[in-house]
Amino acid sequence: MTAQAYIHTLADMESGIPKEVQRKVFDLTLAIYRVSDFFPEGEVLRRQIREKANQVFGEITEYDVFSAESTRQAAAILVRIKSLRGYLELARSLRFVKSINLAVLER
């Protein structure tokens, strides 16, 4: 990659995260909301999954790869993603949604 291409890439990034990645995170968060709409009304797991998705979305959006705290931030994001996956697996086990809907999220 040339220096000019690298500078252009950095200019297209906010806080060190490419806009394409931010868009994918946004789309995934939206998909989690749609899938959790199938949960029974008032189900606590629905709220927990949405809160965790919001946390992941916010932390990725605010992530600063150039920060001295970037390693800690990345570790926190990974922990929340692991937790979110666990919640979704619990939803699958409880048959709140069809497996195909959760499989789409996993891709």
Side-chain angles (χ1 to χ4, degrees):
M1 175 181 285
T2 67
Q4 185 178 14
Y6 181 72
I7 290 169
H8 180 69
T9 300
L10 288 178
D12 285 343
M13 294 168 39
E14 294 177 16
S15 303
I17 301 294
K19 288 183 182 183
E20 176 185 324
V21 171
Q22 289 183 14
R23 181 66 190 177
K24 287 182 180 185
V25 171
F26 175 82
D27 291 342
L28 181 58
T29 303
L30 198 58
I32 288 170
Y33 266 77
R34 289 181 180 139
V35 166
S36 64
D37 276 341
F38 293 109
F39 291 23
E41 192 66 36
E43 173 57 48
V44 174
L45 190 56
R46 177 183 184 177
R47 181 183 49 80
Q48 290 173 324
I49 285 174
R50 287 177 172 193
E51 285 177 3
K52 197 61 69 175
N54 289 338
Q55 289 173 349
V56 170
F57 174 77
E59 289 183 10
I60 289 175
T61 302
E62 296 168 4
Y63 180 76
D64 185 357
V65 70
F66 306 111
S67 166
E69 295 291 314
S70 64
T71 301
R72 185 197 59 75
Q73 289 173 326
I77 292 168
L78 291 175
V79 166
R80 286 194 171 78
I81 290 171
K82 185 176 180 179
S83 178
L84 180 57
R85 291 181 71 132
Y87 285 148
L88 292 169
E89 189 58 40
L90 182 58
R92 180 193 321 265
S93 297
L94 293 171
R95 298 188 179 147
F96 287 160
V97 293
K98 295 179 181 177
S99 293
I100 190 72
N101 292 328
L102 295 177
V104 169
L105 294 177
E106 291 173 349
R107 283 191 284 140

mmCIF file of all heavy atoms in Angstrom, residues 17 21-22 24-26 28-29 32-33 48-63 73-85 87-88:
data_model
loop_
_atom_site.group_PDB
_atom_site.id
_atom_site.type_symbol
_atom_site.label_atom_id
_atom_site.label_comp_id
_atom_site.label_asym_id
_atom_site.label_seq_id
_atom_site.Cartn_x
_atom_site.Cartn_y
_atom_site.Cartn_z
ATOM 1 N N ILE A 17 -11.538 2.697 13.103
ATOM 2 C CA ILE A 17 -12.386 1.611 12.631
ATOM 3 C C ILE A 17 -12.928 1.986 11.255
ATOM 4 O O ILE A 17 -13.568 3.028 11.110
ATOM 5 C CB ILE A 17 -13.572 1.356 13.602
ATOM 6 C CG1 ILE A 17 -13.073 1.014 15.004
ATOM 7 C CG2 ILE A 17 -14.484 0.267 13.066
ATOM 8 C CD1 ILE A 17 -12.318 -0.291 15.106
ATOM 9 N N VAL A 21 -16.691 -1.538 8.435
ATOM 10 C CA VAL A 21 -16.865 -2.354 9.640
ATOM 11 C C VAL A 21 -17.949 -1.747 10.523
ATOM 12 O O VAL A 21 -18.804 -2.461 11.052
ATOM 13 C CB VAL A 21 -15.535 -2.497 10.417
ATOM 14 C CG1 VAL A 21 -15.751 -3.163 11.768
ATOM 15 C CG2 VAL A 21 -14.521 -3.263 9.583
ATOM 16 N N GLN A 22 -17.929 -0.424 10.665
ATOM 17 C CA GLN A 22 -18.960 0.234 11.464
ATOM 18 C C GLN A 22 -20.342 -0.040 10.882
ATOM 19 O O GLN A 22 -21.302 -0.270 11.612
ATOM 20 C CB GLN A 22 -18.698 1.737 11.545
ATOM 21 C CG GLN A 22 -17.505 2.075 12.399
ATOM 22 C CD GLN A 22 -17.279 3.565 12.538
ATOM 23 O OE1 GLN A 22 -18.143 4.356 12.206
ATOM 24 N NE2 GLN A 22 -16.110 3.938 13.022
ATOM 25 N N LYS A 24 -21.251 -2.683 9.130
ATOM 26 C CA LYS A 24 -21.599 -4.084 9.395
ATOM 27 C C LYS A 24 -22.055 -4.269 10.837
ATOM 28 O O LYS A 24 -22.983 -5.034 11.102
ATOM 29 C CB LYS A 24 -20.416 -4.996 9.074
ATOM 30 C CG LYS A 24 -20.185 -5.161 7.591
ATOM 31 C CD LYS A 24 -19.046 -6.092 7.299
ATOM 32 C CE LYS A 24 -18.849 -6.217 5.801
ATOM 33 N NZ LYS A 24 -17.830 -7.198 5.453
ATOM 34 N N VAL A 25 -21.414 -3.582 11.749
ATOM 35 C CA VAL A 25 -21.815 -3.655 13.159
ATOM 36 C C VAL A 25 -23.212 -3.068 13.334
ATOM 37 O O VAL A 25 -24.046 -3.627 14.052
ATOM 38 C CB VAL A 25 -20.788 -2.944 14.070
ATOM 39 C CG1 VAL A 25 -21.294 -2.823 15.488
ATOM 40 C CG2 VAL A 25 -19.460 -3.685 14.039
ATOM 41 N N PHE A 26 -23.491 -1.961 12.647
ATOM 42 C CA PHE A 26 -24.821 -1.363 12.691
ATOM 43 C C PHE A 26 -25.866 -2.350 12.160
ATOM 44 O O PHE A 26 -26.908 -2.568 12.786
ATOM 45 C CB PHE A 26 -24.844 -0.068 11.863
ATOM 46 C CG PHE A 26 -26.207 0.544 11.755
ATOM 47 C CD1 PHE A 26 -26.704 1.342 12.776
ATOM 48 C CD2 PHE A 26 -26.997 0.323 10.639
ATOM 49 C CE1 PHE A 26 -27.975 1.904 12.688
ATOM 50 C CE2 PHE A 26 -28.267 0.879 10.544
ATOM 51 C CZ PHE A 26 -28.754 1.665 11.573
ATOM 52 N N LEU A 28 -25.676 -5.600 11.940
ATOM 53 C CA LEU A 28 -25.796 -6.741 12.852
ATOM 54 C C LEU A 28 -26.636 -6.371 14.073
ATOM 55 O O LEU A 28 -27.489 -7.154 14.506
ATOM 56 C CB LEU A 28 -24.413 -7.230 13.288
ATOM 57 C CG LEU A 28 -24.395 -8.425 14.225
ATOM 58 C CD1 LEU A 28 -25.107 -9.623 13.603
ATOM 59 C CD2 LEU A 28 -22.967 -8.778 14.595
ATOM 60 N N THR A 29 -26.436 -5.192 14.607
ATOM 61 C CA THR A 29 -27.227 -4.741 15.761
ATOM 62 C C THR A 29 -28.702 -4.657 15.384
ATOM 63 O O THR A 29 -29.574 -5.108 16.135
ATOM 64 C CB THR A 29 -26.719 -3.378 16.271
ATOM 65 O OG1 THR A 29 -25.335 -3.492 16.599
ATOM 66 C CG2 THR A 29 -27.490 -2.923 17.495
ATOM 67 N N ILE A 32 -30.126 -8.115 15.221
ATOM 68 C CA ILE A 32 -30.362 -8.664 16.559
ATOM 69 C C ILE A 32 -31.684 -8.146 17.109
ATOM 70 O O ILE A 32 -32.456 -8.895 17.711
ATOM 71 C CB ILE A 32 -29.179 -8.338 17.499
ATOM 72 C CG1 ILE A 32 -27.966 -9.181 17.098
ATOM 73 C CG2 ILE A 32 -29.554 -8.576 18.962
ATOM 74 C CD1 ILE A 32 -26.683 -8.798 17.776
ATOM 75 N N TYR A 33 -31.963 -6.881 16.888
ATOM 76 C CA TYR A 33 -33.256 -6.329 17.310
ATOM 77 C C TYR A 33 -34.410 -7.053 16.603
ATOM 78 O O TYR A 33 -35.417 -7.388 17.223
ATOM 79 C CB TYR A 33 -33.327 -4.822 17.032
ATOM 80 C CG TYR A 33 -32.917 -3.987 18.212
ATOM 81 C CD1 TYR A 33 -31.585 -3.822 18.545
ATOM 82 C CD2 TYR A 33 -33.871 -3.377 19.014
ATOM 83 C CE1 TYR A 33 -31.201 -3.055 19.630
ATOM 84 C CE2 TYR A 33 -33.500 -2.609 20.107
ATOM 85 C CZ TYR A 33 -32.159 -2.454 20.406
ATOM 86 O OH TYR A 33 -31.783 -1.707 21.483
ATOM 87 N N GLN A 48 -31.889 -8.258 27.696
ATOM 88 C CA GLN A 48 -30.462 -8.471 27.931
ATOM 89 C C GLN A 48 -29.691 -8.552 26.618
ATOM 90 O O GLN A 48 -28.590 -7.987 26.506
ATOM 91 C CB GLN A 48 -30.252 -9.738 28.754
ATOM 92 C CG GLN A 48 -30.719 -9.605 30.182
ATOM 93 C CD GLN A 48 -30.673 -10.914 30.936
ATOM 94 O OE1 GLN A 48 -30.943 -11.984 30.383
ATOM 95 N NE2 GLN A 48 -30.319 -10.832 32.216
ATOM 96 N N ILE A 49 -30.250 -9.241 25.638
ATOM 97 C CA ILE A 49 -29.577 -9.362 24.343
ATOM 98 C C ILE A 49 -29.470 -7.992 23.670
ATOM 99 O O ILE A 49 -28.422 -7.629 23.136
ATOM 100 C CB ILE A 49 -30.314 -10.378 23.442
ATOM 101 C CG1 ILE A 49 -30.010 -11.795 23.938
ATOM 102 C CG2 ILE A 49 -29.938 -10.216 21.975
ATOM 103 C CD1 ILE A 49 -30.787 -12.881 23.240
ATOM 104 N N ARG A 50 -30.536 -7.235 23.735
ATOM 105 C CA ARG A 50 -30.514 -5.905 23.114
ATOM 106 C C ARG A 50 -29.525 -4.976 23.822
ATOM 107 O O ARG A 50 -28.808 -4.215 23.169
ATOM 108 C CB ARG A 50 -31.914 -5.309 23.112
ATOM 109 C CG ARG A 50 -32.815 -5.988 22.097
ATOM 110 C CD ARG A 50 -34.218 -5.463 22.138
ATOM 111 N NE ARG A 50 -34.991 -5.997 21.032
ATOM 112 C CZ ARG A 50 -36.158 -5.535 20.655
ATOM 113 N NH1 ARG A 50 -36.719 -4.512 21.299
ATOM 114 N NH2 ARG A 50 -36.798 -6.072 19.644
ATOM 115 N N GLU A 51 -29.493 -5.032 25.136
ATOM 116 C CA GLU A 51 -28.540 -4.194 25.878
ATOM 117 C C GLU A 51 -27.109 -4.563 25.523
ATOM 118 O O GLU A 51 -26.268 -3.689 25.308
ATOM 119 C CB GLU A 51 -28.756 -4.340 27.382
ATOM 120 C CG GLU A 51 -29.970 -3.609 27.897
ATOM 121 C CD GLU A 51 -30.206 -3.823 29.390
ATOM 122 O OE1 GLU A 51 -29.385 -4.492 30.048
ATOM 123 O OE2 GLU A 51 -31.224 -3.314 29.891
ATOM 124 N N LYS A 52 -26.835 -5.867 25.450
ATOM 125 C CA LYS A 52 -25.485 -6.312 25.113
ATOM 126 C C LYS A 52 -25.127 -5.906 23.688
ATOM 127 O O LYS A 52 -24.005 -5.454 23.428
ATOM 128 C CB LYS A 52 -25.381 -7.830 25.290
ATOM 129 C CG LYS A 52 -23.975 -8.349 25.372
ATOM 130 C CD LYS A 52 -23.190 -7.804 26.528
ATOM 131 C CE LYS A 52 -23.680 -8.312 27.852
ATOM 132 N NZ LYS A 52 -22.862 -7.883 28.983
ATOM 133 N N ALA A 53 -26.065 -6.019 22.766
ATOM 134 C CA ALA A 53 -25.820 -5.604 21.377
ATOM 135 C C ALA A 53 -25.528 -4.110 21.313
ATOM 136 O O ALA A 53 -24.642 -3.668 20.581
ATOM 137 C CB ALA A 53 -27.018 -5.959 20.499
ATOM 138 N N ASN A 54 -26.278 -3.329 22.099
ATOM 139 C CA ASN A 54 -26.035 -1.878 22.147
ATOM 140 C C ASN A 54 -24.658 -1.564 22.702
ATOM 141 O O ASN A 54 -23.977 -0.652 22.227
ATOM 142 C CB ASN A 54 -27.103 -1.188 22.982
ATOM 143 C CG ASN A 54 -28.446 -1.151 22.307
ATOM 144 O OD1 ASN A 54 -28.541 -1.260 21.095
ATOM 145 N ND2 ASN A 54 -29.497 -1.016 23.097
ATOM 146 N N GLN A 55 -24.234 -2.304 23.718
ATOM 147 C CA GLN A 55 -22.901 -2.089 24.293
ATOM 148 C C GLN A 55 -21.823 -2.379 23.262
ATOM 149 O O GLN A 55 -20.872 -1.605 23.093
ATOM 150 C CB GLN A 55 -22.704 -2.974 25.522
ATOM 151 C CG GLN A 55 -23.509 -2.563 26.721
ATOM 152 C CD GLN A 55 -23.410 -3.577 27.853
ATOM 153 O OE1 GLN A 55 -22.897 -4.682 27.684
ATOM 154 N NE2 GLN A 55 -23.909 -3.189 29.014
ATOM 155 N N VAL A 56 -21.953 -3.497 22.562
ATOM 156 C CA VAL A 56 -20.964 -3.864 21.543
ATOM 157 C C VAL A 56 -20.947 -2.804 20.444
ATOM 158 O O VAL A 56 -19.879 -2.334 20.040
ATOM 159 C CB VAL A 56 -21.260 -5.264 20.962
ATOM 160 C CG1 VAL A 56 -20.390 -5.546 19.743
ATOM 161 C CG2 VAL A 56 -21.052 -6.337 22.024
ATOM 162 N N PHE A 57 -22.124 -2.403 19.981
ATOM 163 C CA PHE A 57 -22.217 -1.379 18.944
ATOM 164 C C PHE A 57 -21.524 -0.089 19.393
ATOM 165 O O PHE A 57 -20.710 0.483 18.667
ATOM 166 C CB PHE A 57 -23.685 -1.112 18.596
ATOM 167 C CG PHE A 57 -23.876 0.031 17.646
ATOM 168 C CD1 PHE A 57 -23.616 -0.125 16.295
ATOM 169 C CD2 PHE A 57 -24.306 1.269 18.095
ATOM 170 C CE1 PHE A 57 -23.784 0.927 15.406
ATOM 171 C CE2 PHE A 57 -24.480 2.321 17.224
ATOM 172 C CZ PHE A 57 -24.219 2.153 15.876
ATOM 173 N N GLY A 58 -21.848 0.356 20.594
ATOM 174 C CA GLY A 58 -21.273 1.592 21.103
ATOM 175 C C GLY A 58 -19.766 1.519 21.263
ATOM 176 O O GLY A 58 -19.044 2.448 20.890
ATOM 177 N N GLU A 59 -19.294 0.417 21.798
ATOM 178 C CA GLU A 59 -17.847 0.299 22.028
ATOM 179 C C GLU A 59 -17.063 0.196 20.729
ATOM 180 O O GLU A 59 -15.963 0.738 20.627
ATOM 181 C CB GLU A 59 -17.566 -0.881 22.946
ATOM 182 C CG GLU A 59 -18.006 -0.593 24.368
ATOM 183 C CD GLU A 59 -17.690 -1.700 25.337
ATOM 184 O OE1 GLU A 59 -16.951 -2.642 24.986
ATOM 185 O OE2 GLU A 59 -18.186 -1.626 26.471
ATOM 186 N N ILE A 60 -17.618 -0.487 19.738
ATOM 187 C CA ILE A 60 -16.921 -0.563 18.452
ATOM 188 C C ILE A 60 -16.946 0.800 17.769
ATOM 189 O O ILE A 60 -15.948 1.239 17.202
ATOM 190 C CB ILE A 60 -17.524 -1.667 17.560
ATOM 191 C CG1 ILE A 60 -17.157 -3.036 18.142
ATOM 192 C CG2 ILE A 60 -17.038 -1.534 16.118
ATOM 193 C CD1 ILE A 60 -17.786 -4.207 17.438
ATOM 194 N N THR A 61 -18.074 1.468 17.836
ATOM 195 C CA THR A 61 -18.189 2.793 17.232
ATOM 196 C C THR A 61 -17.230 3.788 17.882
ATOM 197 O O THR A 61 -16.641 4.629 17.211
ATOM 198 C CB THR A 61 -19.636 3.302 17.346
ATOM 199 O OG1 THR A 61 -20.501 2.359 16.702
ATOM 200 C CG2 THR A 61 -19.808 4.655 16.692
ATOM 201 N N GLU A 62 -17.050 3.675 19.197
ATOM 202 C CA GLU A 62 -16.193 4.608 19.935
ATOM 203 C C GLU A 62 -14.743 4.141 20.031
ATOM 204 O O GLU A 62 -13.897 4.878 20.525
ATOM 205 C CB GLU A 62 -16.747 4.779 21.353
ATOM 206 C CG GLU A 62 -18.122 5.411 21.374
ATOM 207 C CD GLU A 62 -18.797 5.310 22.736
ATOM 208 O OE1 GLU A 62 -18.168 4.811 23.693
ATOM 209 O OE2 GLU A 62 -19.963 5.717 22.821
ATOM 210 N N TYR A 63 -14.450 2.949 19.544
ATOM 211 C CA TYR A 63 -13.105 2.387 19.662
ATOM 212 C C TYR A 63 -12.085 3.285 18.969
ATOM 213 O O TYR A 63 -12.291 3.759 17.859
ATOM 214 C CB TYR A 63 -13.082 0.986 19.037
ATOM 215 C CG TYR A 63 -11.746 0.312 19.111
ATOM 216 C CD1 TYR A 63 -11.288 -0.242 20.297
ATOM 217 C CD2 TYR A 63 -10.934 0.216 17.985
ATOM 218 C CE1 TYR A 63 -10.055 -0.872 20.363
ATOM 219 C CE2 TYR A 63 -9.712 -0.417 18.035
ATOM 220 C CZ TYR A 63 -9.270 -0.953 19.227
ATOM 221 O OH TYR A 63 -8.054 -1.578 19.291
ATOM 222 N N GLN A 73 -9.745 -1.811 25.487
ATOM 223 C CA GLN A 73 -11.034 -1.629 24.815
ATOM 224 C C GLN A 73 -11.372 -2.845 23.950
ATOM 225 O O GLN A 73 -12.511 -3.327 23.968
ATOM 226 C CB GLN A 73 -11.017 -0.380 23.930
ATOM 227 C CG GLN A 73 -11.001 0.926 24.674
ATOM 228 C CD GLN A 73 -10.823 2.111 23.722
ATOM 229 O OE1 GLN A 73 -10.139 2.010 22.703
ATOM 230 N NE2 GLN A 73 -11.438 3.228 24.061
ATOM 231 N N ALA A 74 -10.396 -3.326 23.201
ATOM 232 C CA ALA A 74 -10.618 -4.485 22.330
ATOM 233 C C ALA A 74 -10.975 -5.718 23.161
ATOM 234 O O ALA A 74 -11.870 -6.483 22.793
ATOM 235 C CB ALA A 74 -9.382 -4.753 21.480
ATOM 236 N N ALA A 75 -10.295 -5.908 24.279
ATOM 237 C CA ALA A 75 -10.594 -7.048 25.147
ATOM 238 C C ALA A 75 -12.016 -6.964 25.697
ATOM 239 O O ALA A 75 -12.737 -7.967 25.750
ATOM 240 C CB ALA A 75 -9.580 -7.123 26.291
ATOM 241 N N ALA A 76 -12.445 -5.766 26.071
ATOM 242 C CA ALA A 76 -13.804 -5.570 26.596
ATOM 243 C C ALA A 76 -14.837 -5.871 25.515
ATOM 244 O O ALA A 76 -15.878 -6.480 25.794
ATOM 245 C CB ALA A 76 -13.970 -4.147 27.120
ATOM 246 N N ILE A 77 -14.565 -5.467 24.298
ATOM 247 C CA ILE A 77 -15.483 -5.746 23.190
ATOM 248 C C ILE A 77 -15.602 -7.252 22.973
ATOM 249 O O ILE A 77 -16.710 -7.780 22.826
ATOM 250 C CB ILE A 77 -15.019 -5.031 21.897
ATOM 251 C CG1 ILE A 77 -15.171 -3.517 22.051
ATOM 252 C CG2 ILE A 77 -15.789 -5.540 20.681
ATOM 253 C CD1 ILE A 77 -14.476 -2.715 20.966
ATOM 254 N N LEU A 78 -14.490 -7.938 22.977
ATOM 255 C CA LEU A 78 -14.513 -9.393 22.774
ATOM 256 C C LEU A 78 -15.272 -10.106 23.879
ATOM 257 O O LEU A 78 -16.011 -11.062 23.610
ATOM 258 C CB LEU A 78 -13.086 -9.933 22.655
ATOM 259 C CG LEU A 78 -12.335 -9.523 21.392
ATOM 260 C CD1 LEU A 78 -10.896 -10.007 21.450
ATOM 261 C CD2 LEU A 78 -13.043 -10.036 20.147
ATOM 262 N N VAL A 79 -15.137 -9.653 25.105
ATOM 263 C CA VAL A 79 -15.876 -10.248 26.225
ATOM 264 C C VAL A 79 -17.375 -10.050 26.029
ATOM 265 O O VAL A 79 -18.175 -10.973 26.241
ATOM 266 C CB VAL A 79 -15.408 -9.646 27.576
ATOM 267 C CG1 VAL A 79 -16.365 -9.985 28.691
ATOM 268 C CG2 VAL A 79 -14.008 -10.135 27.902
ATOM 269 N N ARG A 80 -17.773 -8.871 25.608
ATOM 270 C CA ARG A 80 -19.204 -8.599 25.396
ATOM 271 C C ARG A 80 -19.762 -9.407 24.228
ATOM 272 O O ARG A 80 -20.897 -9.875 24.258
ATOM 273 C CB ARG A 80 -19.438 -7.111 25.209
ATOM 274 C CG ARG A 80 -19.315 -6.373 26.529
ATOM 275 C CD ARG A 80 -19.868 -4.967 26.456
ATOM 276 N NE ARG A 80 -19.923 -4.374 27.774
ATOM 277 C CZ ARG A 80 -18.892 -3.870 28.437
ATOM 278 N NH1 ARG A 80 -17.697 -3.907 27.911
ATOM 279 N NH2 ARG A 80 -19.058 -3.330 29.628
ATOM 280 N N ILE A 81 -18.964 -9.581 23.188
ATOM 281 C CA ILE A 81 -19.397 -10.401 22.052
ATOM 282 C C ILE A 81 -19.584 -11.845 22.499
ATOM 283 O O ILE A 81 -20.575 -12.495 22.131
ATOM 284 C CB ILE A 81 -18.403 -10.296 20.880
ATOM 285 C CG1 ILE A 81 -18.473 -8.899 20.257
ATOM 286 C CG2 ILE A 81 -18.670 -11.387 19.836
ATOM 287 C CD1 ILE A 81 -17.390 -8.621 19.240
ATOM 288 N N LYS A 82 -18.671 -12.347 23.300
ATOM 289 C CA LYS A 82 -18.788 -13.716 23.817
ATOM 290 C C LYS A 82 -20.051 -13.861 24.666
ATOM 291 O O LYS A 82 -20.783 -14.846 24.549
ATOM 292 C CB LYS A 82 -17.551 -14.064 24.641
ATOM 293 C CG LYS A 82 -17.506 -15.486 25.117
ATOM 294 C CD LYS A 82 -16.209 -15.791 25.833
ATOM 295 C CE LYS A 82 -16.178 -17.226 26.305
ATOM 296 N NZ LYS A 82 -14.928 -17.549 26.987
ATOM 297 N N SER A 83 -20.330 -12.889 25.482
ATOM 298 C CA SER A 83 -21.533 -12.895 26.309
ATOM 299 C C SER A 83 -22.786 -12.865 25.436
ATOM 300 O O SER A 83 -23.753 -13.608 25.668
ATOM 301 C CB SER A 83 -21.505 -11.694 27.260
ATOM 302 O OG SER A 83 -22.669 -11.638 28.028
ATOM 303 N N LEU A 84 -22.789 -12.020 24.420
ATOM 304 C CA LEU A 84 -23.916 -11.914 23.500
ATOM 305 C C LEU A 84 -24.161 -13.239 22.794
ATOM 306 O O LEU A 84 -25.302 -13.691 22.668
ATOM 307 C CB LEU A 84 -23.664 -10.795 22.487
ATOM 308 C CG LEU A 84 -24.744 -10.535 21.446
ATOM 309 C CD1 LEU A 84 -26.083 -10.226 22.094
ATOM 310 C CD2 LEU A 84 -24.318 -9.393 20.541
ATOM 311 N N ARG A 85 -23.098 -13.883 22.365
ATOM 312 C CA ARG A 85 -23.241 -15.195 21.722
ATOM 313 C C ARG A 85 -23.838 -16.211 22.683
ATOM 314 O O ARG A 85 -24.654 -17.046 22.282
ATOM 315 C CB ARG A 85 -21.896 -15.668 21.191
ATOM 316 C CG ARG A 85 -21.409 -14.852 20.006
ATOM 317 C CD ARG A 85 -20.101 -15.373 19.504
ATOM 318 N NE ARG A 85 -20.369 -16.652 18.867
ATOM 319 C CZ ARG A 85 -19.925 -16.997 17.685
ATOM 320 N NH1 ARG A 85 -19.176 -16.170 17.015
ATOM 321 N NH2 ARG A 85 -20.219 -18.161 17.170
ATOM 322 N N TYR A 87 -25.921 -15.524 25.177
ATOM 323 C CA TYR A 87 -27.345 -15.186 25.278
ATOM 324 C C TYR A 87 -28.118 -15.726 24.077
ATOM 325 O O TYR A 87 -29.218 -16.262 24.214
ATOM 326 C CB TYR A 87 -27.557 -13.671 25.352
ATOM 327 C CG TYR A 87 -27.220 -13.026 26.676
ATOM 328 C CD1 TYR A 87 -26.742 -11.725 26.719
ATOM 329 C CD2 TYR A 87 -27.406 -13.687 27.892
ATOM 330 C CE1 TYR A 87 -26.450 -11.101 27.920
ATOM 331 C CE2 TYR A 87 -27.114 -13.070 29.089
ATOM 332 C CZ TYR A 87 -26.635 -11.776 29.101
ATOM 333 O OH TYR A 87 -26.353 -11.155 30.296
ATOM 334 N N LEU A 88 -27.550 -15.564 22.889
ATOM 335 C CA LEU A 88 -28.219 -16.042 21.688
ATOM 336 C C LEU A 88 -28.319 -17.568 21.680
ATOM 337 O O LEU A 88 -29.327 -18.131 21.235
ATOM 338 C CB LEU A 88 -27.505 -15.534 20.434
ATOM 339 C CG LEU A 88 -27.611 -14.028 20.203
ATOM 340 C CD1 LEU A 88 -26.666 -13.578 19.093
ATOM 341 C CD2 LEU A 88 -29.038 -13.626 19.884
#
